[in-house]
Amino acid sequence: MSDEPGDAATAAEVSEEPGFGDRLAALQDSELAVVGIAAVGVLVFPLVFNNLLNGYTQLATLVLVWGIFALGFDILLGYTGLLSFGHALFWGGAAYAAGIFSASVSGQPVLVILFGTLVAVLMAWIVGFLSLRRGGIYFAILTLTFGQMAFYLSSSPLAFLTNGENGFTSVSIAPLFGVLDLHGSLGGPLGMLPGNTLYLFVGAVTVLSIALANRILKSPYGIVFKAIRENESRAEFVGLDVWRYKLMAFVISALFAGISGSLFTIEGNYVPLSSLYWTTSGEVVIMTVLGGVGSLFGPLFGAAVYLYIEFIVSGMDVVGPFWHLILGLVFVIVVVLFPDGIWGGITAIRDYVGGDR
Amino acid sequence: MSLLSQVLTILLNGLQQGAIYVLLAVGLSIILGTLKFVNFAHGALYLLGAYLGLFITTEIQLTNGMLPEWGITTFGIGLGFLAALVVVPIVTFFVGLAMERFVAQPFYDRPDTDQILVTFGLAVIFQEALRALIGGDSQSLPQPGWASGPIALPIIGNFPRWRLGVIVITAVLVLFVYALVEYTDFGLIVRAGTMDSEMVRLLGIRLDRPYLVVFGIGAALAGVAGVVGGPLANVNPNIGTEQLVPAFLTVVIGGVGKIEGAVLAGLLLGTLQVVLIQTGFAAWNRVGIYVLAALILLVRPQGLLGSEVSVE
């Protein structure tokens, strides 16, 4: 928020009359504006999604849940340049932790999320510490290894905790702050708002997550992530402890995976074993890349597109059975031709309209 | 049963269990070591091999032509399996060539994360296209008639003939690739390219064609692995992604680019699994290989036989 006047001044210096694109860019730099846009987006999303696109509120909720996961993943892949294939561990791990916590300690949603996230962060600290010894493909394979280890652990040796193949079913979520039943409908004036209680709760967490991600990425700390992505050895030469920053990027991305995983448990009241399988890691990779790496809102778009194809297109007559194939094709096309993803495309159009380029 | 025969049985079973990992890993390893290309679609080639093998062994009926005149009317189990063992590697070899030309080549200059992404996407396409064409049900690829039933071995006693067949086929193929890479001019160029491709190019040797062939061989090995591994478990669209992770582990544990390393690591992982299953820790057998892999990589990040220089 503080740097808004400064940016406006720079824009004014470049051209007397700031263009539409400039003003939009300046707006994006303001923290309050980002949070505001996110909040409005979250509120408007189900209206557009349900009415124009044949969606439904439960799916809109799921989009936000996965969107948080992808948002965190992008901090690692898009901003720091590290590709992890083991994030299912933190997402599914948090989902299980949240479920077990709700069943045996407390079903208070806020505590459930805090506990799930804490578990994800602790696991990420260990896994990141061990995996970051190597870069590039070795990092991808090591994270994959730890993820699969957790999957097979949960499937049988730890089945007494996780309920093995059947998934964890005894989730019990209490009303929020003891009054608001998350799975009930809204009463009173709140009934005017789109979506149900659960959607609004998840939406509030989403806005907080976006604010947090924005704060981290715009801070000097987050800018180091980009420096590492651009040129790791140069970052090392200017005296930055690259390894520490990479580990923190890994832990931070797992933090979001943890929030998302816990929300997933609250949303569905169930944790499937497949939440730990490496294809779940693949899904978040696809979402993030589809939406656009290295942008704040891109991954959320990616999650929306992915889940829309998974749940809506898959129900269509002709193309339905091929939804995964379609997704694979779109993904490959994006990787080959549009490295900036869908969000990159949108920004390109915005810049074009704004007359910046 | 004497201790010696027990140990030998476990080793032989481990060899068989690890054989599929080895077949996949050798292909992955030479591609990764030589072309510096990460092929996440390697499991998809295994899947393709398995389905192609299934198709050839069970579907092809001959109604006219020379073969029926000789009395061969169907490539049933038995003969069809031999046919699959010959046809599948040829087909997957050419699929590999196409992949090198159209997928790998445009990505040599892009970061390895992009390579992983595009091959991962390709794997999804392969898998889902096969699912759409054939369906998602598990099908069984029967053991070939000439290799079913037990065989009596000295010291060990009865051992399933097909499991021995898997070991023999793997050994022959891996020795063939090893000889090709170590003792031929082609192998010399490939190895030199691995060490310093720029220098090789400066010497006036074109690396494009050797690289193309290396990718083809790797793909062919994955295809054979699909045929050979088919009868050991059911064939369904998910087996590619299931095999990919242990195969990658085998490569990384053994040391990238090292054929001996892949064999050693495959044997190690296979034996560990067999030991865990036979000592009553069956539930831990999958976890075990990942723990072992993680431990080895923490102590020797470059892999058991990998050299320090080739790191990264």
Side-chain angles (χ1 to χ4, degrees), chain A residues 6-90:
Chain A
D7 274 327
T10 352
E13 270 171 41
V14 176
S15 66
E16 284 301 310
E17 198 98 336
F20 177 67
D22 289 328
R23 268 181 288 165
L24 218 75
L27 204 62
Q28 272 194 345
D29 283 336
S30 145
E31 192 173 345
L32 199 64
V34 168
V35 177
I37 293 171
V40 172
V42 162
L43 284 178
V44 172
F45 175 60
L47 288 178
V48 178
F49 191 68
N50 297 357
N51 298 332
L52 301 180
L53 294 169
N54 267 326
Y56 43 93
T57 307
Q58 201 193 341
L59 185 55
T61 315
L62 217 49
V63 166
L64 294 189
V65 170
W66 279 91
I68 297 172
F69 190 11
L71 176 71
F73 191 77
D74 190 35
I75 293 177
L76 192 66
L77 175 62
Y79 285 86
T80 322
L82 290 168
L83 175 53
S84 155
F85 256 95
H87 261 51
L89 169 57
F90 312 124

Side-chain angles (χ1 to χ4, degrees), chain A residues 8-338:
Chain A
T10 352
E13 270 171 41
V14 176
S15 66
E16 284 301 310
E17 198 98 336
F20 177 67
D22 289 328
R23 268 181 288 165
L24 218 75
L27 204 62
Q28 272 194 345
D29 283 336
S30 145
E31 192 173 345
L32 199 64
V34 168
V35 177
I37 293 171
V40 172
V42 162
L43 284 178
V44 172
F45 175 60
L47 288 178
V48 178
F49 191 68
N50 297 357
N51 298 332
L52 301 180
L53 294 169
N54 267 326
Y56 43 93
T57 307
Q58 201 193 341
L59 185 55
T61 315
L62 217 49
V63 166
L64 294 189
V65 170
W66 279 91
I68 297 172
F69 190 11
L71 176 71
F73 191 77
D74 190 35
I75 293 177
L76 192 66
L77 175 62
Y79 285 86
T80 322
L82 290 168
L83 175 53
S84 155
F85 256 95
H87 261 51
L89 169 57
F90 312 124
W91 191 75
Y96 272 112
I100 293 166
F101 184 84
S102 79
S104 47
V105 184
S106 158
Q108 185 50 242
V110 177
L111 292 180
V112 167
I113 294 177
L114 283 178
F115 184 75
T117 310
L118 180 72
V119 169
V121 164
L122 289 178
M123 288 194 301
W125 222 299
I126 300 167
V127 172
F129 188 85
L130 299 174
S131 309
L132 280 165
R133 298 158 62 93
R134 305 289 302 274
I137 59 150
Y138 296 93
F139 175 72
I141 293 166
L142 272 172
T143 48
L144 192 56
T145 303
F146 286 111
Q148 286 300 89
M149 206 192 289
F151 171 78
Y152 287 113
L153 267 177
S154 312
S155 80
S156 60
L158 292 184
F160 66 95
L161 266 180
T162 60
N163 204 15
E165 302 272 332
N166 300 323
F168 191 79
T169 43
S170 17
V171 180
S172 97
I173 300 299
L176 185 64
F177 305 124
V179 281
L180 206 57
D181 181 12
L182 284 180
H183 289 277
S185 56
L186 288 166
L190 283 174
M192 305 278 285
L193 292 167
N196 53 20
T197 322
L198 184 66
Y199 178 81
L200 288 180
F201 176 68
V202 172
V205 179
T206 308
V207 174
L208 283 176
S209 302
I210 292 173
L212 179 65
N214 183 55
R215 171 55 75 80
I216 292 170
L217 292 170
K218 295 278 165 65
S219 71
Y221 200 89
I223 289 167
V224 175
F225 293 160
K226 274 191 199 174
I228 292 172
R229 183 194 64 192
E230 292 305 325
N231 194 331
E232 197 177 320
S233 29
R234 199 173 289 174
E236 193 112 46
F237 290 151
V238 297
L240 295 165
D241 189 350
V242 168
W243 196 83
R244 274 237 100 72
Y245 279 99
K246 279 184 173 177
L247 180 60
M248 279 322 288
F250 193 74
V251 171
I252 289 169
S253 74
L255 175 104
F256 288 95
I259 296 173
S260 167
S262 315
L263 278 178
F264 182 74
T265 301
I266 291 175
E267 193 270 336
N269 269 321
Y270 171 65
V271 188
L273 179 62
S274 64
S275 63
L276 284 169
Y277 197 57
W278 78 274
T279 45
T280 304
S281 308
E283 280 176 47
V284 79
V285 172
I286 295 180
M287 287 178 189
T288 310
V289 172
L290 264 189
V293 290
S295 64
L296 194 60
F297 291 106
L300 291 149
F301 265 79
V305 171
Y306 187 103
L307 293 171
Y308 187 77
I309 295 180
E310 178 173 357
F311 286 97
I312 306 294
V313 176
S314 67
M316 294 177 182
D317 286 341
V318 188
V319 290
F322 304 104
W323 74 269
H324 224 129
L325 186 62
I326 297 168
L327 210 52
L329 284 169
V330 174
F331 177 74
V332 167
I333 291 169
V334 165
V335 172
V336 175
L337 299 177
F338 309 103

